[in-house]
Amino acid sequence: QVQLVESGGGLVQAGDSLTLSCAASGRTFSNYAMGWFRQAPGSEREFVAAAISWRGYRTSYADSVKGRFTISRDNAKNAVYLQMNSLKPEDTAGYYCAAGALRLSVRPSDYEYWGQGTQVTVSS
């Protein structure tokens, strides 16, 4: 049984930093994309960042987080992380770990596995 378990969310003030972690179990994703999406109430799930180690390490970011967020992977631990700096109130959302895409993708439908999410709330 494949499981993705996120951790690290919380309530912070604008300008603060948080690091989200996602630990995968049940299969390895070293050759597949892993990423982060977020969803605010009343909004669709949106792409945040993704990383893939297949034939070189590559990353992709949403324009809204470029320069502030950094995604990283530890294939030995089957884990992916999201370092979030300079947080803004508009970053408030549930953050979801995703895994299993064959390539870097911004489409939720390309990812086969999902975590339950961790809430990030940024106060102004």
Side-chain angles (χ1 to χ4, degrees), residues 6 36-40 43-48 94-98 106-108 114-117:
E6 302 99 333
W36 292 92
F37 289 74
R38 65 187 181 187
Q39 187 168 19
S43 299
E44 293 186 353
R45 190 164 294 190
E46 67 171 0
F47 171 76
V48 176
Y95 281 72
Y96 297 86
C97 175
V106 303
R107 301 192 310 177
W114 291 85
Q116 293 299 306

Side-chain angles (χ1 to χ4, degrees), residues 46-115:
E46 67 171 0
F47 171 76
V48 176
I52 191 168
S53 301
W54 177 246
R55 295 183 177 178
Y57 184 74
R58 287 168 286 135
T59 59
S60 178
Y61 294 92
D63 288 343
S64 60
V65 306
K66 278 182 183 176
R68 299 189 298 122
F69 291 10
T70 302
I71 188 171
S72 60
R73 294 181 58 155
D74 186 337
N75 288 336
K77 295 182 178 180
N78 215 21
V80 64
Y81 309 95
L82 186 68
Q83 173 69 42
M84 304 185 293
N85 298 328
S86 303
L87 282 161
K88 305 175 181 180
E90 50 263 43
D91 294 319
T92 295
Y95 281 72
Y96 297 86
C97 175
L102 296 176
R103 55 183 172 81
L104 281 179
S105 175
V106 303
R107 301 192 310 177
S109 58
D110 285 338
Y111 294 81
E112 187 172 0
Y113 301 100
W114 291 85

Side-chain angles (χ1 to χ4, degrees), residues 7-60:
S7 61
L11 172 63
V12 297
Q13 293 187 331
D16 286 350
S17 298
L18 273 179
T19 300
L20 304 183
S21 300
C22 172
S25 61
R27 63 168 285 184
T28 59
F29 294 101
S30 56
N31 291 335
Y32 295 85
M34 297 184 75
W36 292 92
F37 289 74
R38 65 187 181 187
Q39 187 168 19
S43 299
E44 293 186 353
R45 190 164 294 190
E46 67 171 0
F47 171 76
V48 176
I52 191 168
S53 301
W54 177 246
R55 295 183 177 178
Y57 184 74
R58 287 168 286 135
T59 59
S60 178

